[in-house]
Amino acid sequence: MSTNKDALLKFVLRLGDNNLILGHRLSEWCSFGPFLEEDIAMSNIALDYIGQARVLYTYAGEVEGKGHAEDYFAYERKEHSFTNALLTEMPNGDFAQSIARQLYYSAFANLVLTALLDSKDETLKGYAGKAIKETNYHMRHALDWLHRLGEGTEESHRRMQEGLNALWMYTKDLFADVESDKALAAAGIAPDVPALYNQWFETISKAIREATLQVPDAKAWQMEGSRTNRHTENLGYIIAEMQYVTRAYPGLQW
Amino acid sequence: MGELIHLNPLVWTGKDPGLWAIANEVVDPEIPVLTVVDMGIVRDIRQDGNNIEVSITPTYTGCPAMDMIGDEIRNAFLRNGFAEVKIKTVLSPAWTTDWISDEAKEKLRKYGIAPPAHTTADKNVLLGKDKKVKCPRCGSEHTEMISNFGSTACKALWKCTDCKEPFDYFKCI
């Protein structure tokens, strides 16, 4: 496999893994939402992510060329083969923490997808054209709740602030400087992801301030993992639950 | 089904009305008053002897109805005597509610779903402000959004402050 193909596979899988793991986390709200409409909202957003993961994994299978279908990437790889960003595997926490994660992630996804609209890779370009429209709705949802909680009661304000603070140290990891990405950026296939950080910071800072909350310290220590493909303990539990059925009944069809 | 099908010129790419009529037998599983052709889901139909290739585009990437829609389209062509039917999914150009015809929008409204209120080119969509959404039952514009995420990926939940009924709104995308 040529360098570019290998780099492309890694990049597509990273996007797919972000979507699958975050989609799985959000699906944990299903039937546990604070009230019915938000239960449905979280489930709907989870569905968007899982759908995007399907598209990306299917493409990964084509790029890899070993006959692997989408299910292989989702259900047959072990923890250390997953390349999702740390933020996506963080526990949901309370509703405010989940909203903080949605805010941070959607703003990131927006930037990556916008850049991919100009990708020289036709499939990524097509994928981005669809995904960005859905991400816009995700972002609006996160912003709505950021404001409602930030400007709500003393408790909602406190919880929203705690959520933003708790996840802050996992945010820089979204923009990890992965070595194989450089070849893709040079070829106009993928954006220079680390370079998107400043714009992301501006967007979320503005939103947080408008919601009367404090922006966490830009110089605070940040956890790293994506660049060297290391994960938190959380991923093991996610994989165990998500892959249980396929591992218990290999080859099951229905 | 022998009627002439009115297709949005943006959607029409095939040349054979007979093939499109077959595709038009397939209704959207969640919104049975609309066919997959009404929705703009069917992009192209190619025939090679007794074999058919249908290109479809997903509405939302996670739409769980798409697998069923693919199966139903396949069944429709097999029922009509074709030997092999291949369903191809195309991502680009991205599906948009702009492709739903005015007639289809009226069918939605009669069914109780408020149709997408404007084209995606409308600045209001970009600015995140929805135009007035009319209640599909009483026609009032005194409506409010409850949640942008409703019973399916494509719908939002709204309520009418005049007739007090909740209703689904087909989101613009």
Side-chain angles (χ1 to χ4, degrees):
Chain A
M1 202 183 280
S2 77
T3 318
N4 252 3
K5 247 193 163 188
D6 193 43
L8 178 63
L9 177 63
K10 283 202 171 97
F11 183 72
V12 173
L13 279 179
R14 199 157 97 248
L15 294 182
D17 290 345
N18 275 343
N19 277 291
L20 182 70
I21 299 301
L22 187 55
H24 183 88
R25 269 298 189 214
L26 271 181
S27 77
E28 289 173 1
W29 275 111
C30 187
S31 80
F32 290 98
F35 51 95
L36 185 60
E37 286 80 6
E38 271 312 303
D39 194 300
I40 291 173
M42 294 304 223
S43 304
N44 255 322
I45 298 174
L47 198 60
D48 282 346
Y49 286 137
I50 292 169
Q52 290 184 28
R54 291 189 68 184
V55 169
L56 291 160
Y57 286 154
T58 302
Y59 184 43
E62 288 166 23
V63 172
E64 196 197 37
K66 289 185 182 162
H68 287 141
E70 47 182 323
D71 279 1
Y72 166 80
F73 295 105
Y75 296 119
E76 294 181 46
R77 289 184 300 154
K78 297 205 174 79
E79 296 90 303
H80 293 293
S81 301
F82 278 80
T83 53
N84 54 288
L86 298 177
L87 184 71
T88 61
E89 60 196 51
M90 287 303 121
N92 284 329
D94 62 11
F95 188 71
Q97 184 170 308
S98 286
I99 292 299
R101 187 186 56 206
Q102 289 313 110
L103 173 75
Y104 291 151
Y105 185 80
S106 304
F108 160 77
N110 218 309
L111 289 171
V112 174
L113 292 170
T114 302
L116 286 177
L117 292 175
D118 293 322
S119 174
K120 294 233 166 39
D121 181 297
E122 285 306 307
T123 309
L124 282 178
K125 189 173 167 182
Y127 156 72
K130 276 210 74 57
I132 193 151
K133 300 202 269 187
E134 293 164 15
T135 299
N136 284 337
Y137 277 112
H138 304 164
M139 189 66 180
R140 277 165 68 176
H141 175 259
L143 288 172
D144 279 347
W145 276 108
L146 179 73
H147 280 273
R148 279 176 78 168
L149 297 175
E151 297 170 74
T153 65
E154 189 251 299
E155 180 179 2
S156 75
H157 180 99
R158 175 178 54 82
R159 283 180 182 272
M160 191 64 239
Q161 187 66 64
E162 282 170 6
L164 291 169
N165 295 346
L167 295 176
W168 182 246
M169 73 173 185
Y170 302 103
T171 53
K172 199 93 195 273
D173 182 69
L174 287 167
F175 301 87
D177 192 2
V178 176
E179 188 58 40
S180 54
D181 281 358
K182 292 185 167 64
L184 296 178
I189 290 173
D192 178 355
V193 176
L196 299 172
Y197 182 79
N198 288 340
Q199 212 180 325
W200 174 88
F201 185 79
E202 247 187 73
T203 303
I204 59 112
S205 298
K206 181 166 177 284
I208 291 171
R209 276 193 302 266
E210 280 173 4
T212 73
L213 295 152
Q214 306 274 26
V215 182
D217 185 357
K219 293 191 223 67
W221 181 82
Q222 291 281 336
M223 179 83 138
E224 252 194 72
S226 291
R227 199 171 45 83
T228 49
N229 197 25
R230 279 163 39 239
H231 293 280
T232 69
E233 188 188 348
N234 294 302
L235 187 63
Y237 292 103
I238 294 172
I239 299 299
E241 192 178 79
M242 193 175 73
Q243 295 185 346
Y244 175 76
V245 172
T246 18
R247 289 186 181 281
Y249 301 99
L252 177 72
Q253 301 284 322
W254 50 30
Chain B
M1 285 213 154
E3 346 147 5
L4 188 64
I5 303 131
H6 284 283
L7 290 173
N8 185 326
L10 289 173
V11 172
W12 174 272
T13 50
K15 297 219 182 340
D16 187 333
L19 295 180
W20 284 84
I22 294 171
N24 208 35
E25 290 172 16
V26 180
V27 296
D28 185 299
E30 281 290 331
I31 312 165
V33 288
L34 292 186
T35 71
V36 293
V37 173
D38 285 333
M39 292 278 286
I41 288 172
V42 181
R43 307 290 299 132
D44 194 13
I45 309 176
R46 308 244 156 167
Q47 180 177 7
D48 179 15
N50 225 12
N51 301 332
I52 291 285
E53 183 185 85
V54 183
S55 295
I56 58 174
T57 188
T59 50
Y60 282 69
T61 44
C63 175
M66 287 311 295
D67 288 333
M68 181 169 176
I69 286 172
D71 287 345
E72 289 295 297
I73 292 174
R74 179 179 291 110
N75 289 340
F77 280 94
L78 290 175
R79 258 200 319 271
N80 280 275
F82 291 92
E84 262 187 55
V85 186
K86 183 163 170 243
I87 308 288
K88 206 168 89 163
T89 302
V90 293
L91 292 177
S92 181
W95 185 79
T96 163
T97 45
D98 294 355
W99 292 347
I100 300 177
S101 67
D102 289 338
E103 293 86 12
K105 286 182 179 167
E106 180 54 23
K107 284 193 216 172
L108 274 173
R109 195 199 62 76
K110 286 211 178 82
Y111 186 64
I113 299 173
H118 39 60
T119 67
T120 51
D122 191 314
K123 233 202 282 181
N124 280 333
V125 186
L126 299 170
L127 295 173
K129 301 183 177 83
D130 277 304
K131 239 200 231 167
K132 290 288 173 203
V133 173
K134 276 194 178 160
C135 172
R137 279 180 196 77
C138 74
S140 161
E141 284 190 347
H142 301 132
T143 57
E144 286 171 9
M145 184 181 82
I146 300 172
S147 170
N148 240 343
F149 300 92
S151 53
T152 60
C154 50
K155 305 206 222 64
L157 184 62
W158 282 61
K159 69 179 177 191
C160 177
T161 54
D162 277 347
C163 75
K164 309 294 185 202
E165 291 290 329
F167 60 91
D168 273 333
Y169 169 56
F170 205 109
K171 288 189 287 189
C172 296
I173 197 165

